[in-house]
Amino acid sequence: IINGFRRFLTMQDDLTSIIKIYGIREKTSKEMITCVKRFNAEYNVDVDTGQQIRILMIRSDNGREFSSREFKDYCLENQIKQEFSIPRRQYQNGTIERNIRTITEIARSLIIQSNLPKEFWLLALECAAYIKNRSTSRIDKHTKTPYENFYNCKPKVDHLRIFGCDVYHFIDPERRKEGNMSRCGQKGIF
């Protein structure tokens, strides 16, 4: 458990297929509202026009967190239409369910390959979504990546590194404890 997160929520824009992972502590309507607000804040400007855009519809399962009075009121206040799938019929949310499976499989592979403990699951999921947003899909109707569909430019990938590799964070000379002969960097995990 990193930062108390026990679960995750996956949000996807239907038009561009861009995906975002959010760690959640509990499956409550308050946590879902927070995630919707964060998603809307991150993806609320049309790159072409510079105009503000907003979430028009949320498609979800029939979980209590989405069908609660608090969440419904939030959607009404923000003019967001809600669409629910039939209970126990995950295939109705086919695209997102498939993407959740793909991202989970990528994250599992990242953790196994890096020999990191399972506590890094959320970071691996976020990394997997980041990679997926910058990758094309042969079954996708778009020939562009989700990143290109949203931002109208090719994603830069030269900054990508191997998940879980060693990194060194530079330590300012003023913060070094042992003067000139102390370490210049602190080891971490990328």
Side-chain angles (χ1 to χ4, degrees), residues 116-180:
L116 288 174
K118 291 179 184 173
E119 287 78 30
F120 285 85
W121 66 271
L122 183 57
L123 296 172
L125 285 167
E126 290 171 346
C127 182
Y130 188 89
I131 292 167
K132 185 145 178 40
N133 285 335
R134 285 153 181 80
S135 305
T136 57
S137 170
R138 49 187 181 135
I139 60 168
D140 193 359
K141 60 184 171 274
H142 306 291
T143 55
K144 298 179 180 178
T145 66
Y147 183 95
E148 284 177 271
N149 290 329
F150 189 82
Y151 294 106
N152 288 327
C153 65
K154 288 200 178 292
K156 294 181 180 176
V157 294
D158 58 341
H159 64 284
L160 294 177
R161 299 292 180 266
I162 296 171
F163 182 81
C165 69
D166 292 342
V167 295
Y168 291 89
H169 174 72
F170 178 73
I171 301 172
D172 290 327
E174 300 88 39
R175 299 184 73 209
R176 295 182 198 158
K177 296 178 183 173
E178 296 146 15
N180 289 342

Side-chain angles (χ1 to χ4, degrees), residues 15-151:
L15 181 63
T16 63
S17 299
I18 204 152
I19 296 172
K20 184 69 179 174
I21 301 287
Y22 295 102
I24 55 175
R25 289 175 177 79
E26 301 289 331
K27 287 175 73 173
T28 64
S29 55
K30 186 176 181 178
E31 290 246 23
M32 298 306 128
I33 291 169
T34 301
C35 292
V36 170
K37 286 179 180 178
R38 285 177 59 198
F39 187 81
N40 201 39
E42 289 179 57
Y43 301 103
N44 70 345
V45 177
D46 186 320
V47 179
D48 289 332
T49 64
Q51 294 183 346
Q52 291 232 303
I53 54 176
R54 64 181 181 83
I55 296 173
L56 299 175
M57 183 180 75
I58 294 177
R59 185 179 306 124
S60 65
D61 59 18
N62 270 298
R64 290 183 188 141
E65 63 275 15
F66 296 110
S67 59
S68 70
R69 174 61 31 212
E70 184 180 8
F71 194 81
K72 285 182 178 182
D73 289 346
Y74 172 79
C75 289
L76 282 172
E77 286 171 24
N78 292 280
Q79 300 173 346
I80 300 171
K81 180 184 173 188
Q82 277 188 284
E83 186 178 283
F84 296 101
S85 62
I86 296 171
R88 293 173 295 285
R89 301 287 189 266
Q90 292 91 344
Y91 58 83
Q92 288 188 329
N93 291 333
T95 304
I96 192 67
E97 293 293 341
R98 178 64 188 130
N99 282 328
I100 290 170
R101 182 175 169 193
T102 301
I103 287 170
T104 304
E105 289 170 354
I106 293 169
R108 183 181 306 114
S109 296
L110 290 171
I111 288 180
I112 291 169
Q113 165 264 276
S114 64
N115 291 319
L116 288 174
K118 291 179 184 173
E119 287 78 30
F120 285 85
W121 66 271
L122 183 57
L123 296 172
L125 285 167
E126 290 171 346
C127 182
Y130 188 89
I131 292 167
K132 185 145 178 40
N133 285 335
R134 285 153 181 80
S135 305
T136 57
S137 170
R138 49 187 181 135
I139 60 168
D140 193 359
K141 60 184 171 274
H142 306 291
T143 55
K144 298 179 180 178
T145 66
Y147 183 95
E148 284 177 271
N149 290 329
F150 189 82
Y151 294 106

